Amino acid sequence: MVKSEIVKELKKIHPNLKISQIESIVDIIFDSISDNLVSGKSTEIRKWGRFSIKTIKEKKSARNPKSGEIIYVPKKKKISFKASKHLKEEINK
C-alpha cells in the first residue's frame, strides 16, 4: 500500500475531511516518526508496533563475497520495527 491508497482509505472513513487535510495528517505522522528516529528516540504506536534505531558495530575483517578480499565496514545505524502483540495476533489469524 502506498501513501495515496492510505489517503483514499481514510477519505472513505472520514468523508467530511478534504483530501489535502488527510494528506497533511499523514505527512505529519510520518514526519514525526522520522524526526524521532533522527534524534535517536523510538516511536511507539499502540496496538501496532515500535520504531527504533539500532547501531550496528563496525566490522574490521568483513569479506567481500565476490572477491573474498577483507574489507572494513564502519559502524552504522539501522531502523528497527517491532510489531506489537496485537498486530502479530491479527496477522496470524
Side-chain angles (χ1 to χ4, degrees), residues 33-56:
I33 293 170
S34 298
D35 291 345
N36 278 341
L37 292 173
V38 167
S39 65
K41 300 175 188 173
S42 62
T43 300
E44 182 178 340
I45 302 171
R46 301 287 171 150
K47 292 189 175 184
W48 200 65
R50 181 182 59 202
F51 292 96
S52 61
I53 293 287
K54 290 191 177 187
T55 303
I56 306 299

Side-chain angles (χ1 to χ4, degrees), residues 42-76:
S42 62
T43 300
E44 182 178 340
I45 302 171
R46 301 287 171 150
K47 292 189 175 184
W48 200 65
R50 181 182 59 202
F51 292 96
S52 61
I53 293 287
K54 290 191 177 187
T55 303
I56 306 299
K57 61 184 177 179
E58 67 182 346
K59 297 175 186 168
K60 296 181 180 178
S61 60
R63 290 204 179 263
N64 179 340
K66 189 173 184 180
S67 66
E69 175 187 357
I70 294 178
I71 57 173
Y72 170 76
V73 178
K75 77 175 187 177
K76 58 186 170 185

